[in-house]
Amino acid sequence: MTERTEAVEVAGGTTTGEPLIRLDGVNKWFGPLHVLQDVNLSVARGEVVVVIGPSGSGKSTLCRAINRLEPINSGTITFDDRPLPAEGKALARLRSEVGMVFQSFNLFAHKTILENVTLGPVKVRKEKPAAARDRAMKLLERVGIANQAEKYPAQLSGGQQQRAAIARALAMQPKAMLFDEPTSALDPEMVGEVLDVMTSLARDGMTMVVVTHEMGFARHAANRVIFMADGQLVEDAAPDEFFANPRSERAKDFLSKILTH
Amino acid sequence: MSVLVDHFDVFAGGFWLTFQLCILAATGALLVGTLVAVMRISPVPPLRWIGTAYVTVFRNSPLTIVMFFAAFGLPALGSNADFLRIPGLTSIFSRLGIDLPYFRFAVIALALYTAAFVCEAIRSGINAVPPGQAEAARAIGLTFGQNLRYVVLPQAWKSAVVPLGSVIIAMIKNSALAGFFGVIGDLSNSAQNLTSALGEPIIPVFIGVSIGFLVMTVPLGILLDRIERRRAVAAR
């Protein structure tokens, strides 16, 4: 496995100007709770955006809104110049172009790791099973768990499961990847192996939105850091700038709490 | 008790016909029940309403009334349920193909009634599948139908199988009503014949009928216990 510090060169990598993901005036309520307040955000192709903030600030909701796992109440979200379609076939097609990695892995419990990875390509993309299988094995090799292909999710460690989940998302050859706290449910010694995979993805130019508490990853792999609090996008800055000179009180407060120990 | 020996062929024939009725009704109930369960969780509101209405009607009506509507209502509507005369199936279940429609009516009534309970058992199984499973399936672009077929239902079956078994056991016992709605020669109708037409003593005859039902229900119950025990170990 590569060392985590190797990711330093990633920041400022290849990004093109046109946004792949764009949120305009997005609002979302959970009952009386205003979880996303007039959020504007655009993510360019190849850009790695890390979203941080205290819990309950709306980071996960923001991430889940991008592939409409969480429908929004007002505003628009466009992906690859197309507004998110309503529930149905068109939305399913769009979701197949956006990879998603969850905090709790959510691997299909009744399928082997290999079947988890090939299900989407075979059923959604109608790829030939043999071809999907070959590609899946390459992906599992890439994330370092090819030898676990025939096992069931419950037989793997958390870190291995999360790497399998990343492989499952990559198998759809997505245009962007969303990570919703991918390391929060992991034992500390397994965080590194997942971050390594994510770092290598970032280095390869994948467009990524990553909700995380891993400040090291934010520092080394992100092009931009978004700080959210109380449903609002409070800061949007390059990582060096954000960690060295946070402008808002909320961000200063947050950073002082997490970086002191 | 000599009636059990003297008329063994009647009991055996009755058992065989009741067994056929149960196989057909259970198959129908599982198919209709799964369909209704899918309707009840579908994203399309009218389908949900139909599913809910179905369960409300059939779960809350006495089976006797459902049997009554099948045996008298369907003919009044001009139907002899001929759609159940499925070629191939009638060669195994010969009663399905004959002109007298009461066996088909009994299959329909028993299947429709049981389907409401099957639906609820499957739905509780679906609810036992962690929501993250369906969410991950949606996130890779599976449609609602694919999601159910490849991800949710295969897992829901596992936790639904024991309650489903109980539903089927109840259905086997309920099938005793068929003999009172025109089906000739099933277990309960045979008992009636032996006692009222041939004057055989009631208690031995009904012991024979009970044995006929127990032969079907007890092994099924034991099988379910096995499945449950294995599941409990696997869950640990």
Side-chain angles (χ1 to χ4, degrees), chain B residues 2-52:
Chain B
S2 62
V3 61
L4 295 184
V5 181
D6 297 346
H7 294 287
F8 180 77
D9 56 328
V10 177
F11 286 106
F15 170 82
W16 176 230
L17 191 66
T18 295
F19 185 70
Q20 291 184 46
L21 172 62
C22 290
I23 295 282
L24 290 167
T27 310
L30 288 173
L31 291 175
V32 175
T34 308
L35 185 73
V36 178
V38 168
M39 287 168 89
R40 284 202 73 176
I41 58 161
S42 124
V44 184
L47 290 182
R48 282 206 299 273
W49 301 332
I50 295 171
T52 308

Side-chain angles (χ1 to χ4, degrees), chain A residues 64 69 92 95-96 98 102 106-111 119 123-124 126 168 172, chain B residues 43 132-133 135-143 146 150-152 154-155 158:
Chain A
R64 291 161 57 83
L69 280 182
R95 280 176 178 149
S96 74
V98 186
F102 300 87
N106 294 349
L107 289 172
F108 305 132
H110 62 307
K111 291 188 177 292
L119 182 70
K123 298 303 176 194
V124 178
K126 315 290 182 204
R168 175 177 67 181
M172 301 305 290
Chain B
Q133 296 284 309
E135 215 162 56
R138 282 194 285 156
I140 59 170
L142 294 181
T143 59
Q146 291 176 321
Y150 302 119
V151 177
V152 175
Q155 297 187 63
K158 283 188 188 160

